Amino acid sequence: MNVLSPSRAFYGLRHGATDWNREGRFQGRTDNPLNADGITQAHAAAEMLRSVGISRIVTSPLVRAAKTAEIIAAAISAPLTIDNGIIECDFGSFEGLSVRATMEKHGVRSAEGLTSILPADGEAWDVVTERSLACVSGWLERHPDEHILFVCHDAVMQALARSLCGSFFQNRHGTPFCYVPLREGWHVEEVRY
């Protein structure tokens, strides 16, 4: 098992949607705000998380994640901290480009396949994975009795899932997931309350 593997279960949430998400663009570090749908998704996520017992929220500094986290924190009365360790992948020269057109251009058929064609002027996939695991593991170690929600981005959540579970999963905006350690490995499950 990875040395940086988290010690216990934790929650992850992809921020609410932005206009670039709806347009199917690589967003990366471009600091776009939530759109109206994204704000609605953040409020819906807060309602879903009310009965989970989240005691701390850690968020990416990008405004789309931070605003999502603020809405949830206010609704469930949990402290909120910003951590650069779960900021979105820097997609370099892919930022703003159509994801679908880029996949077609490079002959990639799945989102997971994108990890092999990231541009040299962006962030390497193994770096995204390493920093995300280190961030999550660090918070879990420092707060062993707390249920922690990480409000972040698709690439961060997928990097965690691929490292812990071996593959990507179907991630949706504003949908909370729990990363659960099992005897034979990890599992990502949608939170339904």
Side-chain angles (χ1 to χ4, degrees):
M1 190 173 265
N2 192 313
V3 175
L4 293 172
S5 197
S7 56
R8 60 190 169 84
F10 62 93
Y11 295 89
L13 177 83
R14 183 181 186 184
H15 60 80
T18 69
D19 288 344
W20 275 25
N21 290 133
R22 293 298 180 235
E23 293 165 11
R25 298 174 186 238
F26 284 99
Q27 195 160 211
R29 303 282 173 87
T30 304
D31 206 8
N32 292 321
L34 296 175
N35 60 21
D37 286 344
I39 291 170
T40 299
Q41 290 164 343
H43 285 286
E47 286 304 309
M48 281 188 275
L49 289 165
R50 277 189 194 278
S51 61
V52 172
I54 299 295
S55 47
R56 180 175 300 276
I57 301 173
V58 179
T59 184
S60 157
L62 295 174
V63 68
R64 59 192 184 269
K67 182 63 177 176
T68 301
E70 287 169 12
I71 290 168
I72 296 168
I76 66 173
S77 300
L80 173 63
T81 306
I82 292 173
D83 193 316
N84 288 335
I86 52 172
I87 195 170
E88 179 61 302
C89 176
D90 181 348
F91 290 114
S93 53
F94 281 6
E95 300 250 342
L97 298 180
S98 162
V99 174
R100 182 176 303 231
T102 304
M103 289 173 70
E104 289 172 3
K105 177 181 176 182
H106 293 277
V108 173
R109 296 200 170 130
S110 70
E112 198 160 354
L114 288 169
T115 64
S116 65
I117 64 161
L118 294 175
D121 65 349
E123 187 176 20
W125 188 252
D126 60 342
V127 174
V128 177
T129 302
E130 186 176 315
R131 70 170 165 78
S132 300
L133 283 168
C135 178
V136 168
S137 297
W139 279 98
L140 293 174
E141 286 175 20
R142 289 190 302 274
H143 302 279
D145 299 322
E146 294 186 350
H147 295 293
I148 303 176
L149 170 66
F150 296 89
V151 179
C152 51
H153 308 272
D154 191 38
V156 170
M157 291 179 69
Q158 300 295 4
L160 291 165
R162 188 172 180 190
S163 177
L164 298 172
C165 307
S167 64
F168 279 23
F169 70 102
Q170 185 65 38
N171 193 6
R172 295 180 307 284
H173 294 282
T175 302
F177 289 90
C178 188
Y179 292 71
V180 183
L182 304 173
R183 195 172 304 191
E184 64 279 2
W186 284 75
H187 177 69
V188 179
E189 57 190 43
E190 185 173 340
V191 174
R192 297 177 192 271
Y193 289 96

mmCIF file with all atom_site columns, all heavy atoms in Angstrom, residues 11 15 24 49-50 54-55 63 97-99 108 122 136 142 150 153 157 163 168 175:
data_model
loop_
_atom_site.group_PDB
_atom_site.id
_atom_site.type_symbol
_atom_site.label_atom_id
_atom_site.label_alt_id
_atom_site.label_comp_id
_atom_site.label_asym_id
_atom_site.label_entity_id
_atom_site.label_seq_id
_atom_site.pdbx_PDB_ins_code
_atom_site.Cartn_x
_atom_site.Cartn_y
_atom_site.Cartn_z
_atom_site.occupancy
_atom_site.B_iso_or_equiv
_atom_site.pdbx_formal_charge
_atom_site.auth_seq_id
_atom_site.auth_comp_id
_atom_site.auth_asym_id
_atom_site.auth_atom_id
_atom_site.pdbx_PDB_model_num
ATOM 1   N N   . TYR A 1 11  ? -14.340 12.072 3.352   1.00 0.00 ? 11  TYR A N   1
ATOM 2   C CA  . TYR A 1 11  ? -15.328 12.505 2.372   1.00 0.00 ? 11  TYR A CA  1
ATOM 3   C C   . TYR A 1 11  ? -14.696 13.445 1.347   1.00 0.00 ? 11  TYR A C   1
ATOM 4   O O   . TYR A 1 11  ? -13.823 14.243 1.691   1.00 0.00 ? 11  TYR A O   1
ATOM 5   C CB  . TYR A 1 11  ? -16.491 13.227 3.071   1.00 0.00 ? 11  TYR A CB  1
ATOM 6   C CG  . TYR A 1 11  ? -17.269 12.324 3.985   1.00 0.00 ? 11  TYR A CG  1
ATOM 7   C CD1 . TYR A 1 11  ? -16.893 12.171 5.316   1.00 0.00 ? 11  TYR A CD1 1
ATOM 8   C CD2 . TYR A 1 11  ? -18.359 11.606 3.519   1.00 0.00 ? 11  TYR A CD2 1
ATOM 9   C CE1 . TYR A 1 11  ? -17.587 11.320 6.157   1.00 0.00 ? 11  TYR A CE1 1
ATOM 10  C CE2 . TYR A 1 11  ? -19.067 10.747 4.356   1.00 0.00 ? 11  TYR A CE2 1
ATOM 11  C CZ  . TYR A 1 11  ? -18.674 10.612 5.677   1.00 0.00 ? 11  TYR A CZ  1
ATOM 12  O OH  . TYR A 1 11  ? -19.356 9.766  6.493   1.00 0.00 ? 11  TYR A OH  1
ATOM 13  N N   . HIS A 1 15  ? -16.574 20.487 -6.424  1.00 0.00 ? 15  HIS A N   1
ATOM 14  C CA  . HIS A 1 15  ? -17.268 21.778 -6.371  1.00 0.00 ? 15  HIS A CA  1
ATOM 15  C C   . HIS A 1 15  ? -18.494 21.805 -7.282  1.00 0.00 ? 15  HIS A C   1
ATOM 16  O O   . HIS A 1 15  ? -18.621 20.997 -8.206  1.00 0.00 ? 15  HIS A O   1
ATOM 17  C CB  . HIS A 1 15  ? -16.301 22.894 -6.786  1.00 0.00 ? 15  HIS A CB  1
ATOM 18  C CG  . HIS A 1 15  ? -15.790 22.705 -8.180  1.00 0.00 ? 15  HIS A CG  1
ATOM 19  N ND1 . HIS A 1 15  ? -16.514 23.038 -9.300  1.00 0.00 ? 15  HIS A ND1 1
ATOM 20  C CD2 . HIS A 1 15  ? -14.620 22.184 -8.629  1.00 0.00 ? 15  HIS A CD2 1
ATOM 21  C CE1 . HIS A 1 15  ? -15.826 22.746 -10.384 1.00 0.00 ? 15  HIS A CE1 1
ATOM 22  N NE2 . HIS A 1 15  ? -14.670 22.211 -10.006 1.00 0.00 ? 15  HIS A NE2 1
ATOM 23  N N   . GLY A 1 24  ? -17.618 22.150 -21.225 1.00 0.00 ? 24  GLY A N   1
ATOM 24  C CA  . GLY A 1 24  ? -16.714 21.031 -21.441 1.00 0.00 ? 24  GLY A CA  1
ATOM 25  C C   . GLY A 1 24  ? -15.264 21.428 -21.659 1.00 0.00 ? 24  GLY A C   1
ATOM 26  O O   . GLY A 1 24  ? -14.541 20.797 -22.428 1.00 0.00 ? 24  GLY A O   1
ATOM 27  N N   . LEU A 1 49  ? -25.397 16.453 3.411   1.00 0.00 ? 49  LEU A N   1
ATOM 28  C CA  . LEU A 1 49  ? -24.345 16.241 4.406   1.00 0.00 ? 49  LEU A CA  1
ATOM 29  C C   . LEU A 1 49  ? -24.763 16.565 5.842   1.00 0.00 ? 49  LEU A C   1
ATOM 30  O O   . LEU A 1 49  ? -24.019 16.306 6.774   1.00 0.00 ? 49  LEU A O   1
ATOM 31  C CB  . LEU A 1 49  ? -23.110 17.073 4.032   1.00 0.00 ? 49  LEU A CB  1
ATOM 32  C CG  . LEU A 1 49  ? -22.351 16.567 2.795   1.00 0.00 ? 49  LEU A CG  1
ATOM 33  C CD1 . LEU A 1 49  ? -21.398 17.629 2.280   1.00 0.00 ? 49  LEU A CD1 1
ATOM 34  C CD2 . LEU A 1 49  ? -21.621 15.276 3.113   1.00 0.00 ? 49  LEU A CD2 1
ATOM 35  N N   . ARG A 1 50  ? -25.960 17.116 6.021   1.00 0.00 ? 50  ARG A N   1
ATOM 36  C CA  . ARG A 1 50  ? -26.413 17.506 7.354   1.00 0.00 ? 50  ARG A CA  1
ATOM 37  C C   . ARG A 1 50  ? -26.363 16.368 8.370   1.00 0.00 ? 50  ARG A C   1
ATOM 38  O O   . ARG A 1 50  ? -26.013 16.565 9.522   1.00 0.00 ? 50  ARG A O   1
ATOM 39  C CB  . ARG A 1 50  ? -27.838 18.049 7.301   1.00 0.00 ? 50  ARG A CB  1
ATOM 40  C CG  . ARG A 1 50  ? -27.910 19.493 6.923   1.00 0.00 ? 50  ARG A CG  1
ATOM 41  C CD  . ARG A 1 50  ? -29.327 20.016 7.114   1.00 0.00 ? 50  ARG A CD  1
ATOM 42  N NE  . ARG A 1 50  ? -29.502 21.292 6.470   1.00 0.00 ? 50  ARG A NE  1
ATOM 43  C CZ  . ARG A 1 50  ? -29.137 22.453 7.002   1.00 0.00 ? 50  ARG A CZ  1
ATOM 44  N NH1 . ARG A 1 50  ? -28.561 22.483 8.189   1.00 0.00 ? 50  ARG A NH1 1
ATOM 45  N NH2 . ARG A 1 50  ? -29.341 23.575 6.357   1.00 0.00 ? 50  ARG A NH2 1
ATOM 46  N N   . ILE A 1 54  ? -20.170 15.695 9.600   1.00 0.00 ? 54  ILE A N   1
ATOM 47  C CA  . ILE A 1 54  ? -18.923 16.338 9.189   1.00 0.00 ? 54  ILE A CA  1
ATOM 48  C C   . ILE A 1 54  ? -18.523 17.320 10.282  1.00 0.00 ? 54  ILE A C   1
ATOM 49  O O   . ILE A 1 54  ? -19.310 18.174 10.687  1.00 0.00 ? 54  ILE A O   1
ATOM 50  C CB  . ILE A 1 54  ? -19.082 17.085 7.840   1.00 0.00 ? 54  ILE A CB  1
ATOM 51  C CG1 . ILE A 1 54  ? -19.467 16.127 6.713   1.00 0.00 ? 54  ILE A CG1 1
ATOM 52  C CG2 . ILE A 1 54  ? -17.825 17.879 7.502   1.00 0.00 ? 54  ILE A CG2 1
ATOM 53  C CD1 . ILE A 1 54  ? -18.428 15.102 6.369   1.00 0.00 ? 54  ILE A CD1 1
ATOM 54  N N   . SER A 1 55  ? -17.281 17.218 10.756  1.00 0.00 ? 55  SER A N   1
ATOM 55  C CA  . SER A 1 55  ? -16.838 18.121 11.817  1.00 0.00 ? 55  SER A CA  1
ATOM 56  C C   . SER A 1 55  ? -15.793 19.125 11.347  1.00 0.00 ? 55  SER A C   1
ATOM 57  O O   . SER A 1 55  ? -15.459 20.053 12.081  1.00 0.00 ? 55  SER A O   1
ATOM 58  C CB  . SER A 1 55  ? -16.281 17.314 12.989  1.00 0.00 ? 55  SER A CB  1
ATOM 59  O OG  . SER A 1 55  ? -15.385 16.325 12.551  1.00 0.00 ? 55  SER A OG  1
ATOM 60  N N   . VAL A 1 63  ? -11.907 29.680 -6.263  1.00 0.00 ? 63  VAL A N   1
ATOM 61  C CA  . VAL A 1 63  ? -13.189 30.246 -5.837  1.00 0.00 ? 63  VAL A CA  1
ATOM 62  C C   . VAL A 1 63  ? -14.355 29.281 -6.016  1.00 0.00 ? 63  VAL A C   1
ATOM 63  O O   . VAL A 1 63  ? -15.273 29.259 -5.193  1.00 0.00 ? 63  VAL A O   1
ATOM 64  C CB  . VAL A 1 63  ? -13.456 31.611 -6.535  1.00 0.00 ? 63  VAL A CB  1
ATOM 65  C CG1 . VAL A 1 63  ? -13.691 31.439 -8.027  1.00 0.00 ? 63  VAL A CG1 1
ATOM 66  C CG2 . VAL A 1 63  ? -14.596 32.344 -5.870  1.00 0.00 ? 63  VAL A CG2 1
ATOM 67  N N   . LEU A 1 97  ? -9.246  24.748 -23.298 1.00 0.00 ? 97  LEU A N   1
ATOM 68  C CA  . LEU A 1 97  ? -9.543  23.944 -24.488 1.00 0.00 ? 97  LEU A CA  1
ATOM 69  C C   . LEU A 1 97  ? -10.710 22.999 -24.221 1.00 0.00 ? 97  LEU A C   1
ATOM 70  O O   . LEU A 1 97  ? -10.987 22.620 -23.085 1.00 0.00 ? 97  LEU A O   1
ATOM 71  C CB  . LEU A 1 97  ? -8.324  23.112 -24.903 1.00 0.00 ? 97  LEU A CB  1
ATOM 72  C CG  . LEU A 1 97  ? -7.057  23.862 -25.300 1.00 0.00 ? 97  LEU A CG  1
ATOM 73  C CD1 . LEU A 1 97  ? -5.963  22.859 -25.687 1.00 0.00 ? 97  LEU A CD1 1
ATOM 74  C CD2 . LEU A 1 97  ? -7.334  24.819 -26.450 1.00 0.00 ? 97  LEU A CD2 1
ATOM 75  N N   . SER A 1 98  ? -11.353 22.565 -25.288 1.00 0.00 ? 98  SER A N   1
ATOM 76  C CA  . SER A 1 98  ? -12.416 21.583 -25.197 1.00 0.00 ? 98  SER A CA  1
ATOM 77  C C   . SER A 1 98  ? -11.818 20.227 -24.808 1.00 0.00 ? 98  SER A C   1
ATOM 78  O O   . SER A 1 98  ? -10.879 19.755 -25.456 1.00 0.00 ? 98  SER A O   1
ATOM 79  C CB  . SER A 1 98  ? -13.126 21.449 -26.549 1.00 0.00 ? 98  SER A CB  1
ATOM 80  O OG  . SER A 1 98  ? -13.864 20.251 -26.617 1.00 0.00 ? 98  SER A OG  1
ATOM 81  N N   . VAL A 1 99  ? -12.377 19.620 -23.773 1.00 0.00 ? 99  VAL A N   1
ATOM 82  C CA  . VAL A 1 99  ? -11.900 18.309 -23.340 1.00 0.00 ? 99  VAL A CA  1
ATOM 83  C C   . VAL A 1 99  ? -12.142 17.284 -24.444 1.00 0.00 ? 99  VAL A C   1
ATOM 84  O O   . VAL A 1 99  ? -11.259 16.512 -24.812 1.00 0.00 ? 99  VAL A O   1
ATOM 85  C CB  . VAL A 1 99  ? -12.585 17.872 -22.019 1.00 0.00 ? 99  VAL A CB  1
ATOM 86  C CG1 . VAL A 1 99  ? -12.203 16.446 -21.648 1.00 0.00 ? 99  VAL A CG1 1
ATOM 87  C CG2 . VAL A 1 99  ? -12.248 18.838 -20.895 1.00 0.00 ? 99  VAL A CG2 1
ATOM 88  N N   . VAL A 1 108 ? -7.536  9.691  -27.360 1.00 0.00 ? 108 VAL A N   1
ATOM 89  C CA  . VAL A 1 108 ? -7.851  9.221  -26.010 1.00 0.00 ? 108 VAL A CA  1
ATOM 90  C C   . VAL A 1 108 ? -9.352  8.963  -25.927 1.00 0.00 ? 108 VAL A C   1
ATOM 91  O O   . VAL A 1 108 ? -10.151 9.790  -26.363 1.00 0.00 ? 108 VAL A O   1
ATOM 92  C CB  . VAL A 1 108 ? -7.422  10.276 -24.961 1.00 0.00 ? 108 VAL A CB  1
ATOM 93  C CG1 . VAL A 1 108 ? -7.891  9.897  -23.578 1.00 0.00 ? 108 VAL A CG1 1
ATOM 94  C CG2 . VAL A 1 108 ? -5.921  10.450 -24.985 1.00 0.00 ? 108 VAL A CG2 1
ATOM 95  N N   . GLY A 1 122 ? 2.224   21.834 -17.869 1.00 0.00 ? 122 GLY A N   1
ATOM 96  C CA  . GLY A 1 122 ? 1.260   21.724 -16.777 1.00 0.00 ? 122 GLY A CA  1
ATOM 97  C C   . GLY A 1 122 ? 1.837   20.874 -15.657 1.00 0.00 ? 122 GLY A C   1
ATOM 98  O O   . GLY A 1 122 ? 3.052   20.733 -15.528 1.00 0.00 ? 122 GLY A O   1
ATOM 99  N N   . VAL A 1 136 ? -4.627  14.972 2.214   1.00 0.00 ? 136 VAL A N   1
ATOM 100 C CA  . VAL A 1 136 ? -5.686  14.239 2.897   1.00 0.00 ? 136 VAL A CA  1
ATOM 101 C C   . VAL A 1 136 ? -5.112  13.477 4.101   1.00 0.00 ? 136 VAL A C   1
ATOM 102 O O   . VAL A 1 136 ? -5.651  13.545 5.209   1.00 0.00 ? 136 VAL A O   1
ATOM 103 C CB  . VAL A 1 136 ? -6.402  13.283 1.920   1.00 0.00 ? 136 VAL A CB  1
ATOM 104 C CG1 . VAL A 1 136 ? -7.303  12.311 2.652   1.00 0.00 ? 136 VAL A CG1 1
ATOM 105 C CG2 . VAL A 1 136 ? -7.203  14.087 0.894   1.00 0.00 ? 136 VAL A CG2 1
ATOM 106 N N   . ARG A 1 142 ? -3.754  14.632 11.753  1.00 0.00 ? 142 ARG A N   1
ATOM 107 C CA  . ARG A 1 142 ? -3.798  15.726 12.736  1.00 0.00 ? 142 ARG A CA  1
ATOM 108 C C   . ARG A 1 142 ? -5.135  15.810 13.468  1.00 0.00 ? 142 ARG A C   1
ATOM 109 O O   . ARG A 1 142 ? -5.212  16.382 14.558  1.00 0.00 ? 142 ARG A O   1
ATOM 110 C CB  . ARG A 1 142 ? -3.514  17.064 12.043  1.00 0.00 ? 142 ARG A CB  1
ATOM 111 C CG  . ARG A 1 142 ? -2.066  17.223 11.613  1.00 0.00 ? 142 ARG A CG  1
ATOM 112 C CD  . ARG A 1 142 ? -1.752  18.626 11.144  1.00 0.00 ? 142 ARG A CD  1
ATOM 113 N NE  . ARG A 1 142 ? -2.562  19.085 10.033  1.00 0.00 ? 142 ARG A NE  1
ATOM 114 C CZ  . ARG A 1 142 ? -2.294  18.850 8.746   1.00 0.00 ? 142 ARG A CZ  1
ATOM 115 N NH1 . ARG A 1 142 ? -1.251  18.120 8.404   1.00 0.00 ? 142 ARG A NH1 1
ATOM 116 N NH2 . ARG A 1 142 ? -3.067  19.332 7.796   1.00 0.00 ? 142 ARG A NH2 1
ATOM 117 N N   . PHE A 1 150 ? -13.386 17.027 2.166   1.00 0.00 ? 150 PHE A N   1
ATOM 118 C CA  . PHE A 1 150 ? -12.457 17.751 1.299   1.00 0.00 ? 150 PHE A CA  1
ATOM 119 C C   . PHE A 1 150 ? -13.232 18.237 0.083   1.00 0.00 ? 150 PHE A C   1
ATOM 120 O O   . PHE A 1 150 ? -13.730 17.429 -0.706  1.00 0.00 ? 150 PHE A O   1
ATOM 121 C CB  . PHE A 1 150 ? -11.289 16.850 0.880   1.00 0.00 ? 150 PHE A CB  1
ATOM 122 C CG  . PHE A 1 150 ? -10.447 16.425 2.049   1.00 0.00 ? 150 PHE A CG  1
ATOM 123 C CD1 . PHE A 1 150 ? -10.752 15.267 2.768   1.00 0.00 ? 150 PHE A CD1 1
ATOM 124 C CD2 . PHE A 1 150 ? -9.368  17.195 2.463   1.00 0.00 ? 150 PHE A CD2 1
ATOM 125 C CE1 . PHE A 1 150 ? -9.991  14.877 3.863   1.00 0.00 ? 150 PHE A CE1 1
ATOM 126 C CE2 . PHE A 1 150 ? -8.604  16.819 3.569   1.00 0.00 ? 150 PHE A CE2 1
ATOM 127 C CZ  . PHE A 1 150 ? -8.924  15.663 4.263   1.00 0.00 ? 150 PHE A CZ  1
ATOM 128 N N   . HIS A 1 153 ? -11.718 19.149 -6.512  1.00 0.00 ? 153 HIS A N   1
ATOM 129 C CA  . HIS A 1 153 ? -11.884 19.138 -7.962  1.00 0.00 ? 153 HIS A CA  1
ATOM 130 C C   . HIS A 1 153 ? -11.853 17.718 -8.490  1.00 0.00 ? 153 HIS A C   1
ATOM 131 O O   . HIS A 1 153 ? -11.350 16.802 -7.838  1.00 0.00 ? 153 HIS A O   1
ATOM 132 C CB  . HIS A 1 153 ? -10.769 19.963 -8.611  1.00 0.00 ? 153 HIS A CB  1
ATOM 133 C CG  . HIS A 1 153 ? -10.651 21.325 -8.012  1.00 0.00 ? 153 HIS A CG  1
ATOM 134 N ND1 . HIS A 1 153 ? -11.368 22.404 -8.463  1.00 0.00 ? 153 HIS A ND1 1
ATOM 135 C CD2 . HIS A 1 153 ? -9.917  21.784 -6.967  1.00 0.00 ? 153 HIS A CD2 1
ATOM 136 C CE1 . HIS A 1 153 ? -11.077 23.473 -7.730  1.00 0.00 ? 153 HIS A CE1 1
ATOM 137 N NE2 . HIS A 1 153 ? -10.196 23.114 -6.822  1.00 0.00 ? 153 HIS A NE2 1
ATOM 138 N N   . MET A 1 157 ? -9.960  14.322 -6.956  1.00 0.00 ? 157 MET A N   1
ATOM 139 C CA  . MET A 1 157 ? -10.738 13.181 -6.488  1.00 0.00 ? 157 MET A CA  1
ATOM 140 C C   . MET A 1 157 ? -10.425 11.919 -7.293  1.00 0.00 ? 157 MET A C   1
ATOM 141 O O   . MET A 1 157 ? -10.381 10.821 -6.754  1.00 0.00 ? 157 MET A O   1
ATOM 142 C CB  . MET A 1 157 ? -12.231 13.525 -6.511  1.00 0.00 ? 157 MET A CB  1
ATOM 143 C CG  . MET A 1 157 ? -12.599 14.558 -5.454  1.00 0.00 ? 157 MET A CG  1
ATOM 144 S SD  . MET A 1 157 ? -14.349 15.018 -5.470  1.00 0.00 ? 157 MET A SD  1
ATOM 145 C CE  . MET A 1 157 ? -15.114 13.489 -4.889  1.00 0.00 ? 157 MET A CE  1
ATOM 146 N N   . SER A 1 163 ? -5.354  6.034  -7.162  1.00 0.00 ? 163 SER A N   1
ATOM 147 C CA  . SER A 1 163 ? -4.291  5.569  -6.293  1.00 0.00 ? 163 SER A CA  1
ATOM 148 C C   . SER A 1 163 ? -4.800  4.560  -5.264  1.00 0.00 ? 163 SER A C   1
ATOM 149 O O   . SER A 1 163 ? -4.179  3.522  -5.031  1.00 0.00 ? 163 SER A O   1
ATOM 150 C CB  . SER A 1 163 ? -3.631  6.743  -5.579  1.00 0.00 ? 163 SER A CB  1
ATOM 151 O OG  . SER A 1 163 ? -2.646  6.294  -4.687  1.00 0.00 ? 163 SER A OG  1
ATOM 152 N N   . PHE A 1 168 ? -10.655 5.314  -11.965 1.00 0.00 ? 168 PHE A N   1
ATOM 153 C CA  . PHE A 1 168 ? -11.507 6.489  -11.837 1.00 0.00 ? 168 PHE A CA  1
ATOM 154 C C   . PHE A 1 168 ? -12.921 6.031  -11.465 1.00 0.00 ? 168 PHE A C   1
ATOM 155 O O   . PHE A 1 168 ? -13.251 4.849  -11.519 1.00 0.00 ? 168 PHE A O   1
ATOM 156 C CB  . PHE A 1 168 ? -11.566 7.247  -13.160 1.00 0.00 ? 168 PHE A CB  1
ATOM 157 C CG  . PHE A 1 168 ? -10.389 8.159  -13.419 1.00 0.00 ? 168 PHE A CG  1
ATOM 158 C CD1 . PHE A 1 168 ? -9.154  7.972  -12.816 1.00 0.00 ? 168 PHE A CD1 1
ATOM 159 C CD2 . PHE A 1 168 ? -10.520 9.204  -14.310 1.00 0.00 ? 168 PHE A CD2 1
ATOM 160 C CE1 . PHE A 1 168 ? -8.084  8.821  -13.069 1.00 0.00 ? 168 PHE A CE1 1
ATOM 161 C CE2 . PHE A 1 168 ? -9.458  10.057 -14.583 1.00 0.00 ? 168 PHE A CE2 1
ATOM 162 C CZ  . PHE A 1 168 ? -8.249  9.862  -13.963 1.00 0.00 ? 168 PHE A CZ  1
ATOM 163 N N   . THR A 1 175 ? -21.740 16.418 -5.583  1.00 0.00 ? 175 THR A N   1
ATOM 164 C CA  . THR A 1 175 ? -22.176 15.126 -5.065  1.00 0.00 ? 175 THR A CA  1
ATOM 165 C C   . THR A 1 175 ? -21.132 14.612 -4.070  1.00 0.00 ? 175 THR A C   1
ATOM 166 O O   . THR A 1 175 ? -19.983 14.385 -4.452  1.00 0.00 ? 175 THR A O   1
ATOM 167 C CB  . THR A 1 175 ? -22.344 14.105 -6.211  1.00 0.00 ? 175 THR A CB  1
ATOM 168 O OG1 . THR A 1 175 ? -23.291 14.617 -7.146  1.00 0.00 ? 175 THR A OG1 1
ATOM 169 C CG2 . THR A 1 175 ? -22.819 12.758 -5.680  1.00 0.00 ? 175 THR A CG2 1
#
